[in-house]
Amino acid sequence: MVERIQDVAHLGAVELLTPKPEGTLWFFHDLFGMEIVHRDGGTHYLRGYGDHAAATLKITPAKAAGIGCVAWRATSPEALERRVAAIEAEGLGLGWSNGDFGRGRSYRFRDPDGHAMEIYYEEVRYAPPPELRSTLKNLPQKFTGRGVNVRRMDHLALFCKSVPENRRFAQETLGMRLSEQVIFNQGRDEIGAWLSPSPVHHQVAYVADAAGVHGRLHHVSLWVDNRGDVMRAADILAENGVFIEAGPSKHNNSQGFYLYSYEPGGNRVEVYSGSYLIFAPDWQTVVWNEQERGTGVYWGATLPASFASYGTPVVEAQKSNATVIDPM
Ligand SMILES: [Fe+2]
C-alpha cells in the first residue's frame, strides 16, 4: 500500500458567487442561522456556530451564480510548501497571495477542471463579540437557535468534465482518501468520486457534468447534528418560500440524510446529517455500479431529473454545444 500523503487537514472555506447577494445573504443569515463576521464592499464572510475558523463561507456578488474559490487548510507550514510544490509540478499553480479574510499566506491554484482553489496554513481562530460568546467553553460561538442554525461547513460537490482526472488530482496531488466511487459500464465510466482529507466521509465530490462544460458547482453542504434538524430545515425553507428540490431522504452512497434547495442566487445548497466517519488507514473504496447505485436514494422519493443536470452557473444548453454564462 502506498502511504497516503496527509498534508491537507480539512476544507477551510467556500466562496459562492451570486447575482442576488441580498437574497443569498438573507438565506444564509436569516434562514440558515449563520453569522456575518466581516464585510468588504458587497462581499460578506459568514460562519456556522461550530466553525472554529473566523469565516467558512464567502458570498461574492457576481453576474451569475457559481463557485468562487475553495480553500483547503494544510496540516503545517511544511505541509503547505510540499503541496504547493506538488501542485506546481502539475502545472496548475497560480501563485501566492497574503490571504483572504481570516487566513494567512495562501497559494492559489486550479483543479484540472478549472475550479479555483487555495491552500493555506495560517488561520485566524474565531473570537466572538460579547453578545455571541457561548457559556460553553469549548463552543466557539453561542448557539443562537436562529433558523436552521447550521453547525458547520461540511462539503461541496463539483461538476466536472472528467471525473478520473480530477479524482486523481485530489488523491495523488492533494492526498485525499477516496471514500466511494460510482463507476458504470463494467468499470469503464467513472461518473462520481467522493473524497476527503479527514475522517469526514467526503469534503469534495466530483461528479460528471452532463452538459460537458468545465468549472460548475453542483452543491455546497452545511451540517446539522441530526435528522430531525434536517426535517426542521424543510419546514423553515417551505415557510419562507424557498424551492426544495429533493429530500429529506437518505442517499445510499455516503449514507447522507439530505435536503436540497436553491438559495435565491440559484446555487444548490444542502442541509446534511447522518453519513459516517472513516478512520481506517487501509480503507477500501466502496465502488457502486449501475444496479447497486440505482437512483442514488436508499429510501425516500426518487431524485428529480434536475439533480443530475442543474448546476451553477446555469448553462444555456446541454451537451456538446453548451455554453457557460460567465460567472464574474
Ligand atoms: Fe452533499
Side-chain angles (χ1 to χ4, degrees):
M1 192 182 98
V2 179
E3 188 178 10
R4 184 164 74 82
I5 302 153
Q6 298 197 43
D7 283 350
V8 177
H10 61 86
L11 175 63
V14 172
E15 179 186 18
L16 277 184
L17 307 179
T18 173
K20 295 181 179 170
E22 281 182 21
T24 303
L25 201 57
W26 164 78
F27 180 89
F28 285 105
H29 177 267
D30 292 23
L31 302 191
F32 270 39
M34 299 180 82
E35 294 298 331
I36 299 166
V37 289
H38 183 66
R39 292 177 176 82
D40 182 8
T43 299
H44 291 78
Y45 296 79
L46 295 91
R47 61 191 306 286
Y49 77 93
D51 281 321
H52 291 277
T56 52
L57 177 67
K58 179 179 179 181
I59 296 174
T60 302
K63 283 182 190 163
I67 184 77
C69 185
V70 179
W72 299 96
R73 190 173 188 199
T75 54
S76 68
E78 295 78 13
L80 172 60
E81 298 299 332
R82 283 193 295 269
R83 285 314 94 209
V84 168
I87 292 162
E88 285 183 338
E90 294 270 326
L92 292 167
L94 295 173
W96 289 96
S97 75
N98 290 330
D100 205 340
F101 170 75
R103 302 199 290 268
R105 192 166 164 262
S106 303
Y107 188 82
R108 180 70 69 108
F109 61 98
R110 292 195 179 277
D111 70 7
D113 201 64
H115 300 99
M117 293 190 171
E118 239 170 41
I119 185 165
Y120 66 99
Y121 172 70
E122 291 167 24
E123 178 174 278
V124 177
R125 278 180 75 88
Y126 180 65
E131 68 274 16
L132 286 177
R133 207 165 285 156
S134 175
T135 54
L136 190 56
K137 191 174 181 181
N138 56 11
L139 195 58
Q141 179 211 297
K142 177 187 281 190
F143 177 90
T144 61
R146 186 176 68 248
V148 178
N149 216 116
V150 294
R151 180 183 280 267
R152 59 175 171 79
M153 178 65 67
D154 190 83
H155 67 265
L156 77 165
L158 299 172
F159 264 144
C160 64
K161 204 163 180 175
S162 165
V163 172
E165 209 180 317
N166 289 280
R167 185 259 303 157
R168 268 197 296 271
F169 175 74
Q171 254 185 306
E172 295 171 14
T173 309
L174 298 181
M176 296 192 198
R177 177 193 62 248
L178 180 59
S179 302
E180 300 196 29
Q181 279 180 295
V182 174
I183 305 180
F184 290 173
N185 291 325
Q186 294 173 321
R188 287 193 294 275
D189 291 340
E190 188 178 332
I191 64 158
W194 285 256
L195 301 117
S196 181
S198 73
V200 168
H201 176 273
H202 63 284
Q203 293 220 282
V204 64
Y206 279 108
V207 186
D209 193 336
V213 295
H214 291 284
R216 294 209 297 161
L217 172 70
H218 188 274
H219 69 266
V220 61
S221 181
L222 293 119
W223 178 267
V224 290
D225 283 344
N226 58 60
R227 296 180 187 187
D229 289 343
V230 179
M231 291 191 281
R232 183 169 166 276
D235 280 340
I236 291 166
L237 298 186
E239 285 284 19
N240 285 279
V242 173
F243 171 66
I244 293 174
E245 183 188 34
S249 304
K250 183 174 175 173
H251 280 304
N252 48 15
N253 88 320
S254 87
Q255 301 173 23
F257 192 72
Y258 60 84
L259 174 73
Y260 294 102
S261 64
Y262 298 170
E263 54 86 15
N267 294 298
R268 182 188 284 108
V269 182
E270 179 181 28
V271 179
Y272 185 74
S273 195
S275 192
Y276 64 99
L277 303 174
I278 298 173
F279 302 101
D282 59 349
W283 175 254
Q284 296 205 332
T285 302
V286 177
V287 183
W288 303 73
N289 64 26
E290 292 92 324
Q291 290 72 39
E292 295 160 339
R293 167 74 169 167
T295 60
V297 177
Y298 186 46
W299 50 255
T302 306
L303 291 164
S306 59
F307 192 76
S309 59
Y310 182 84
T312 47
V314 173
V315 293
E316 298 285 10
Q318 299 295 309
K319 304 296 178 191
S320 57
N321 59 351
T323 52
V324 177
I325 296 166
D326 182 4
M328 290 302 287

